[in-house]
Amino acid sequence: MRGKAVIAGIGHTAFGKQPGRSTVSLNIEACRNAVADAGIEKNAVDGLLVKVPTSKVEMMYGQKLAEAMGMSPRFGGVFDQGGASNISMIAIAAMAIEAGQCEVALVTLADNPRTGSRHAYEKVWGDDADFGWSSVVAGYAMIARRYMHDHGDVSDIHAAIAMACRKHGADNPHAQLRLPLTREMYDASPWVVGPLRRDDCCLVSDGAAAVVVMSADRAKDLGVKAPVPILGFGQGNSSIDVPLREDLTETQAGVSARTAFAMAGLAPKDIDVAQIYDCFTITVAMTLEAYGFAPKGKLAALVKEGGFEVGGALPLNTSGGLLSETGMPGLQLVLEGVRQMRGFSSNQVLDAETCIVSNQGGIMHTHSTLILGRQ
Amino acid sequence: MTAAPYDTYRAGLDAGRLTFQRCRACGEAWLPPREDCPHCWSADWGWEEASGKATVVSWVVYHAAFDKRFADRLPYNVAIVELDEGPRMITNIIEIPPDEDVIGRKAILAFERDHDRLLPRYRLDPS
């Protein structure tokens, strides 16, 4: 499959607050921009895959969106793995195209928890609500506390991740939060659920992003100007709930990455730039280790080598990530991977030829990996 | 009709007893309550009473009340403990020392009445 499918176009909305806009309308704006970017007509699209919004879960959302777009796609619907859905749907689109199920697919995500409902992030956890067990951030904090117990003080690593994302976000004119973060600001940041501080936590955002997926051959036929080849993809699902995970610091992210690396015929040393799902800083630290960029508990060495900013050992989240660009759950990271491979990021990594992108969902319940290359 | 597993579990707690399920086919023990063994999928299981001895797996401290019922308790802790018999559960540690890593510490079951219910909480074992 390596290189057989491409991302032919990308599109997004403004990020931040979108009061009064439905997620259907946000999806349509992102799709309109993605199709225009690919330089194709709407009637060329015969696949439509969409992530269900966190702000409002409803049945048959994929068909609702297709109806609003005046489409009857051959292949389409919702695939739900939380934040991992985006990359998984790109992979599903690539496989569907290879299997002759459709020719050109839109993969799209819209959400509006900032002006709509944040229930998905703040809800109480079922029968354990009587203990005060609530919110997504607390699940990640449970993992972070155990990680710190096992690996010692990791505040330098968390700070380095947050500072790199915020620096890159400050350089991105589309970013929701364009305020660089100093170490002093990080250390003074208030606790939300200890051991996680406010600046360890991603933004809450309205907005949408979309990509157009097609075969490399089809892109040539249609005269697509800047197709970005998909070199590899993979996924892994821990699924087990956080309290019951035998080792709280182990996920299936490594399984996901190894599947993607095997398809691409690449290894971590071959990766020039990374877009790592940063709902919380701990997620980035654990993902980088699981991916093989550093042995477990040894990420500090990578920070010392110049860290995660452009020009460093491993530049990451070059558009600002969820911590700075937009807290939307994930597809925007793929868009930035495409910009890096096209050579037009606002934080361009010079001569970058490979980009790895991670998406994950729940509280590290799901994971999906994408490796992009240069045309 | 048999009671749903959670209702039986809750009835035990209301009587001041912490119970868990054990599979008669493979021996797996688990919480929270469920209808089938998560290891071998057998529906043939029974209830056992926990010894009340456990170990702290992780814990967090809330500085924000996502659940408004807890707004006047901030900061408060929520912990994961592993029973000596194997199952894990969400709970609170009573009187947790500040600035101390309590992961790996032994803990003893201590029921407290709260929100009109008996809740299975834990105290750190001083020994």
Side-chain angles (χ1 to χ4, degrees):
Chain A
M1 282 284 297
R2 179 194 152 109
K4 283 203 168 177
V6 300
I7 295 179
I10 58 174
H12 63 87
T13 63
F15 303 132
K17 289 183 184 169
Q18 297 265 12
R21 294 279 303 276
S22 70
T23 57
V24 166
S25 171
L26 293 167
N27 267 313
I28 292 176
E29 181 184 344
C31 287
R32 192 166 66 222
N33 292 337
V35 164
D37 180 58
I40 62 170
E41 298 295 326
K42 168 190 164 185
N43 61 15
V45 180
D46 61 354
L48 179 65
L49 290 159
V50 59
K51 179 189 177 298
V52 69
T54 66
S55 55
K56 187 182 174 197
V57 176
E58 51 190 316
M59 301 288 290
M60 300 287 279
Y61 184 79
Q63 274 51 54
K64 182 180 178 178
L65 178 62
E67 195 276 340
M69 295 173 74
M71 290 173 64
S72 300
R74 288 168 71 188
F75 189 85
V78 163
F79 187 71
D80 180 22
Q81 288 177 330
S85 308
N86 308 292
I87 286 177
S88 291
M89 290 192 298
I90 291 171
I92 289 166
M95 292 187 285
I97 290 164
E98 175 75 1
Q101 304 300 299
C102 64
E103 290 194 342
V104 177
L106 269 166
V107 174
T108 184
L109 153 75
D111 212 348
N112 57 1
R114 189 166 177 88
T115 56
S117 170
R118 299 185 190 189
H119 175 76
Y121 301 113
E122 300 185 347
K123 70 186 172 196
V124 300
W125 298 111
D127 299 324
D128 288 322
D130 284 342
F131 299 106
W133 180 231
S134 59
S135 83
V136 168
V137 55
Y140 284 89
M142 278 289 187
I143 295 171
R145 177 85 72 192
R146 184 74 209 199
Y147 183 87
M148 291 172 175
H149 173 81
D150 293 346
H151 302 298
D153 181 9
V154 291
S155 56
D156 285 352
I157 294 164
H158 285 185
I161 290 164
M163 287 159 65
C165 292
R166 292 279 287 275
K167 180 174 193 286
H168 295 154
D171 292 335
N172 173 3
H174 297 292
Q176 180 178 332
L177 179 61
R178 300 189 66 192
L179 180 68
L181 181 74
T182 64
R183 181 59 196 260
E184 291 70 29
M185 287 160 70
Y186 177 84
D187 288 339
S189 177
W191 302 110
V192 180
V193 179
L196 293 181
R197 299 177 181 277
R198 186 195 59 203
D199 288 326
D200 289 310
C201 304
C202 69
L203 305 172
V204 177
S205 313
D206 303 338
V211 301
V212 178
V213 181
M214 61 178 72
S215 71
D217 292 342
R218 190 93 174 107
K220 206 173 288 173
D221 295 343
L222 290 171
V224 172
K225 285 197 180 70
V228 167
I230 294 170
L231 301 183
F233 49 77
Q235 63 170 273
N237 298 288
S238 301
S239 301
I240 309 296
D241 205 12
V242 174
L244 309 182
R245 248 170 245 168
E246 193 171 344
D247 181 343
L248 264 59
T249 67
E250 280 290 323
T251 71
Q252 297 299 302
V255 169
S256 177
R258 285 192 289 280
T259 305
F261 278 127
M263 184 188 289
L266 297 172
K269 65 173 172 48
D270 302 316
I271 298 298
D272 297 324
V273 54
Q275 315 297 336
I276 304 296
Y277 198 94
D278 53 338
C279 50
F280 301 95
T281 49
I282 180 67
T283 318
V284 179
M286 282 175 56
T287 302
L288 290 175
E289 290 177 355
Y291 277 22
F293 288 107
K296 201 167 179 189
K298 303 290 180 205
L299 206 53
L302 208 60
V303 175
K304 287 205 183 94
E305 280 174 47
F308 307 124
E309 294 173 12
V310 172
L314 182 68
L316 63 82
N317 300 6
T318 45
S319 59
L322 280 71
L323 291 168
S324 191
E325 183 184 33
T326 164
M328 259 174 20
L331 190 53
Q332 71 275 19
L333 299 174
V334 175
L335 269 58
E336 175 62 8
V338 168
R339 284 189 288 265
Q340 284 287 349
M341 294 299 91
R342 288 175 172 179
F344 292 106
S345 166
S346 48
N347 286 297
Q348 184 60 39
V349 174
L350 207 62
D351 301 328
E353 292 187 346
T354 55
C355 180
I356 197 162
V357 191
S358 81
N359 275 184
Q360 63 106 61
I363 302 168
M364 304 194 195
H365 286 81
T366 62
H367 197 101
S368 215
T369 310
L370 184 70
I371 301 175
L372 300 172
R374 197 151 202 164
Q375 177 74 349
Chain B
M1 192 177 144
T2 53
Y6 180 76
D7 293 343
T8 305
Y9 174 73
R10 185 65 243 177
L13 295 180
D14 290 342
R17 296 188 312 123
L18 175 64
T19 55
F20 60 90
Q21 290 161 290
R22 189 184 294 282
C23 179
R24 293 193 184 101
C26 76
E28 177 85 358
W30 68 84
L31 281 176
R34 56 182 91 214
E35 292 168 84
D36 303 289
C37 172
H39 181 66
C40 77
W41 309 344
S42 169
D44 184 18
W45 46 261
W47 292 98
E48 291 184 16
E49 184 162 354
S51 66
K53 293 178 184 167
T55 304
V56 179
V57 176
S58 191
W59 94 103
V60 297
V61 180
Y62 281 73
H63 295 265
F66 301 100
D67 182 343
K68 299 295 174 258
R69 294 185 300 163
F70 292 82
D72 60 355
R73 301 179 181 208
L74 298 175
Y76 69 89
N77 74 77
V78 174
I80 302 168
V81 298
E82 183 168 303
L83 311 187
D84 280 10
E85 295 88 349
R88 298 251 191 104
M89 62 183 290
I90 287 287
T91 188
N92 306 116
I93 304 290
I94 303 165
E95 293 171 17
I96 197 165
D99 307 322
E100 191 179 319
D101 181 2
V102 299
I103 290 176
R105 288 279 299 273
K106 295 289 180 194
I108 309 287
L109 178 66
F111 274 95
E112 285 193 332
R113 183 161 290 281
D114 194 1
H115 288 128
D116 292 328
R117 282 185 151 183
L118 268 181
L119 291 183
R121 291 187 168 135
Y122 286 80
R123 285 184 192 281
L124 294 175
D125 186 348
S127 61

